[in-house]
Each structure stands twice: as structure tokens, then as C-alpha cells.
Amino acid sequence: MLFHVRMDVSIPPGLDVTDRVAEEKARALELQRAGVWVHLWRIVGRYSNFSVFDVASNDELHGILSGLPLYPFMKIEVTPLATHPSDLAVAGGQER
């Protein structure tokens, strides 16, 4: 199942999260290498990202997101994705 996820990070002023940020990067790279976190884009001008996850269930995604080191400082919005019938990949690379 594919999910579009927006993560907005808001760290309280004065809180040192240097170690958490390093752990977050390591975890994100691990999940990307595993094929779970399939896309990761920064939102320009914000401490935010748009991501696409490919997981088996809602529960799996929840476990991944809630296990991220910066999770306590995130506002997260999740949108389940479905294949669009006009996608070239669905049409076998052929226009209909």
C-alpha cells in the first residue's frame, strides 16, 4: 500500500536534538534502502517533507512513523494512495 505523508517538524526553542537529528537521518536512509520509504522531498523554506511510503498496512506505517526519533516533534498528515486509471504504468505504457 502506498501512502503520501507530510511531516512538519517543530522543535521547541533551546532544546538540543542534535543526536535525534542524526538518528532520524540514519533511520530514514535505512528505510529508503529497504524500499519502504520510496520518496522523500523537502518542502522549500520549511522544516518539513513530503514522503511516499510503501508498506503492507496502516499499522505498519503507524509503527514506522511513531518510531522515528523526531516523532515527538512532528505534525503528520497521511493520505492513502490508489492507482489512477490514466497513469501510463497502469495503461501498460500506452495511451488509451
Side-chain angles (χ1 to χ4, degrees), residues 6-25:
R6 178 178 176 149
M7 292 178 248
D8 296 296
V9 181
S10 181
I11 298 169
L15 185 63
D16 183 6
V17 293
T18 305
D19 291 342
R20 282 185 189 241
V21 170
E23 292 167 8
E24 183 86 13
K25 181 177 181 177

Side-chain angles (χ1 to χ4, degrees), residues 1-5 35-36 38 52-61 78-83:
M1 300 173 66
L2 294 176
F3 293 89
H4 172 270
V5 179
V36 173
V38 294
V52 175
F53 286 82
D54 188 358
V55 294
S57 68
N58 296 334
D59 290 334
E60 181 182 358
L61 180 62
V78 176
T79 305
L81 300 174
T83 305

Side-chain angles (χ1 to χ4, degrees), residues 22-40 52-53:
E23 292 167 8
E24 183 86 13
K25 181 177 181 177
R27 182 68 176 135
L29 291 171
E30 176 186 334
L31 290 166
Q32 289 175 74
R33 288 184 185 110
V36 173
W37 197 329
V38 294
H39 295 286
L40 174 57
V52 175
F53 286 82

Side-chain angles (χ1 to χ4, degrees), residues 38-81:
V38 294
H39 295 286
L40 174 57
W41 295 280
R42 176 180 303 276
I43 300 173
V44 175
R46 299 183 178 269
Y47 194 175
S48 303
N49 72 73
F50 286 128
S51 296
V52 175
F53 286 82
D54 188 358
V55 294
S57 68
N58 296 334
D59 290 334
E60 181 182 358
L61 180 62
H62 180 77
I64 289 168
L65 296 176
S66 63
L68 293 173
L70 291 175
Y71 178 77
F73 311 108
M74 290 181 182
K75 176 184 172 199
I76 299 174
E77 295 178 24
V78 176
T79 305
L81 300 174

